Amino acid sequence: MYALYMATENTPDTLLGAITYFADLDVATAFVAGLRWPNGVRCPHCDSVDTPYVQSRRIWQCKNCRKQFSVKVGSIFEDSPIPLSKWLPAMWLLVNCKNGVSSYEIARDLGVTQKTAWFMLHRLRLAIQAKSFDKFGGHVELDETFIGGKARNMHYSKRKRMGITQGKSMAGKVAVFGLLERHGQDGHSRVRVASIKSNKRRHLMPHVMDHVERGSTVHTDSLTSYVSLETDYTHKVIDHAEAYVDGEVHTNGLENFWSLLKRSIRGTYVSVEPFHLFRYLDEQVYRFNSRKQSDGVRFLEACASVFGKRLTYSTLTGKDLPQSC
Ligand SMILES: [Zn+2]
């Protein structure tokens, strides 16, 4: 009989622990199965519970519909030849390295090609992508920033390709909008971010309306795009030309988040394409919003969110996956 693993017991609390622990594929399979089917294995094709485990191949054989399935089916791991003994430590690194982890590091640490590591990281990022159903309330900071494209450091040919002729041009930069709720459900601040077309009012306001409860107090700088917030919110403005803090009126929570985000994008992800930026934003948001948890719990929660999601290589790149791994 196949015994379901209780994911909360004996789970590793260090990277070394994770690598050693999941090196045993039976343990790794039992771990993922325990998260996926906490009440017993069910066939993903017909929902039957009559599914004996085939130990030698680490698959289940459904007695009802006769189909076989592995623990990877219907998860971000589906169709991947990479064993869970590499996937799970990769997830550990992604969620627990403060500044993120690059595909080059993952490739070296886990013995896969850089291309494979890049693809793995994007699938893992999909798992931890924030799902936001509730609205922020109380005191909420709003701010925008610009990421990427330091034209000055770019090769002339690249500047030319991107249409940047002047060093200080905003071309190549992506505008990012952030919202921070000061005291969230667990008493700690939490953020949401989105890449936006520009910091003009028409691009900012829909995000505020979608994510902030009417009647909340919103804190912003003196950007004119925020002027109309008074209609639905208590609007506090800090004019950065005069001061950065005036009592409780400031956007320092978000400033702090921006500096973490930029450190990770500049330091670890040196060449983020604007097209993929939202994936890196989600990753930083995940680490920030779970920063009060232990590494082990953060990892467990991330692993519990790998199911019901898929990202194929062609979706990501428009190309077929290279054969080597
Ligand atoms: Zn079945």
Side-chain angles (χ1 to χ4, degrees):
M1 271 307 278
Y2 178 83
L4 268 188
Y5 177 85
M6 290 302 290
T8 43
E9 288 167 23
N10 311 318
T11 40
D13 49 16
T14 62
L15 169 62
L16 183 63
I19 290 172
T20 322
Y21 193 71
F22 297 124
D24 182 339
L25 272 178
D26 288 325
V27 172
T29 305
F31 170 80
V32 177
L35 287 171
R36 176 163 191 180
W37 298 293
N39 303 312
V41 178
R42 298 187 95 90
C43 171
H45 308 289
C46 72
D47 212 32
S48 166
V49 289
D50 193 4
T51 55
Y53 187 56
V54 185
Q55 177 74 46
S56 56
R57 298 171 56 207
R58 295 190 190 91
I59 55 156
W60 288 264
Q61 169 82 55
C62 178
K63 288 240 169 157
N64 183 42
C65 71
R66 322 291 310 164
K67 286 183 182 147
Q68 299 175 338
F69 56 93
S70 81
V71 78
K72 288 178 173 176
V73 171
S75 78
I76 58 157
F77 308 131
E78 186 162 346
D79 293 341
S80 165
I82 307 291
L84 291 173
S85 54
K86 294 189 180 189
W87 273 112
L88 296 170
M91 179 66 104
W92 183 281
L93 287 163
L94 177 71
V95 298
N96 288 330
C97 294
K98 294 274 173 294
N99 295 331
V101 59
S102 75
S103 54
Y104 291 92
E105 289 168 88
I106 291 281
R108 271 198 308 274
D109 292 349
L110 301 181
V112 294
T113 66
Q114 183 266 332
K115 235 177 199 170
T116 296
W118 181 85
F119 183 32
M120 287 172 80
L121 282 170
H122 275 316
R123 286 200 194 187
L124 293 169
R125 284 187 191 105
L126 175 72
I128 60 172
Q129 214 169 70
K131 296 168 286 302
S132 37
F133 302 111
D134 59 331
K135 290 191 173 189
F136 284 179
H139 287 261
V140 180
E141 300 177 18
L142 310 175
D143 195 22
E144 4 49 63
T145 192
F146 293 88
I147 304 257
K150 271 207 168 162
R152 205 159 24 112
N153 301 334
M154 248 180 236
H155 190 269
Y156 176 72
S157 62
K158 186 167 183 186
R159 284 209 313 264
K160 207 172 155 193
R161 197 170 65 235
M162 296 179 82
I164 308 167
T165 45
Q166 304 261 306
K168 283 190 174 175
S169 167
M170 291 305 282
K173 286 189 186 281
V174 180
V176 177
F177 182 54
L179 307 95
L180 177 141
E181 183 185 46
R182 282 199 189 151
H183 304 285
Q185 288 144 339
D186 62 352
H188 304 295
S189 59
R190 52 185 184 141
V191 298
R192 281 177 199 161
V193 295
S195 57
I196 46 174
K197 279 198 178 136
S198 80
N199 62 357
K200 292 199 167 68
R201 200 171 76 90
R202 66 177 183 278
H203 292 136
L204 296 182
M205 287 311 287
H207 290 281
V208 183
M209 304 306 275
D210 282 354
H211 293 284
V212 187
E213 208 76 70
R214 285 174 71 166
S216 310
T217 303
V218 290
H219 302 257
T220 73
D221 61 19
S222 51
L223 188 76
T224 49
S225 306
Y226 295 121
V227 169
S228 62
L229 281 170
E230 285 147 25
T231 332
D232 295 296
Y233 303 97
T234 306
H235 186 196
K236 308 264 188 184
V237 180
I238 182 81
D239 185 350
H240 286 167
E242 288 166 18
Y244 274 83
V245 182
D246 179 10
E248 60 167 22
V249 188
H250 61 80
T251 56
N252 284 359
L254 269 178
E255 299 290 347
N256 172 40
F257 178 78
W258 295 144
S259 74
L260 294 171
L261 176 68
K262 287 177 182 181
R263 197 179 306 156
S264 115
I265 287 183
R266 278 193 205 131
T268 311
Y269 306 116
V270 280
S271 59
V272 174
E273 297 286 335
F275 167 68
H276 289 304
L277 180 67
F278 72 95
R279 303 182 197 280
Y280 298 90
L281 295 178
D282 284 334
E283 173 195 329
Q284 194 68 36
V285 164
Y286 183 84
R287 279 195 299 262
F288 185 86
N289 288 347
S290 62
R291 68 196 180 282
K292 300 291 174 186
Q293 289 166 341
S294 70
D295 286 3
V297 171
R298 190 179 305 111
F299 168 74
L300 257 185
E301 289 194 356
C303 289
S305 58
V306 302
F307 309 109
K309 297 169 187 168
R310 284 199 71 188
L311 177 66
T312 63
Y313 191 77
S314 55
T315 311
L316 199 55
T317 61
K319 298 177 208 141
D320 288 331
L321 181 64
Q323 283 310 300
S324 64
C325 63

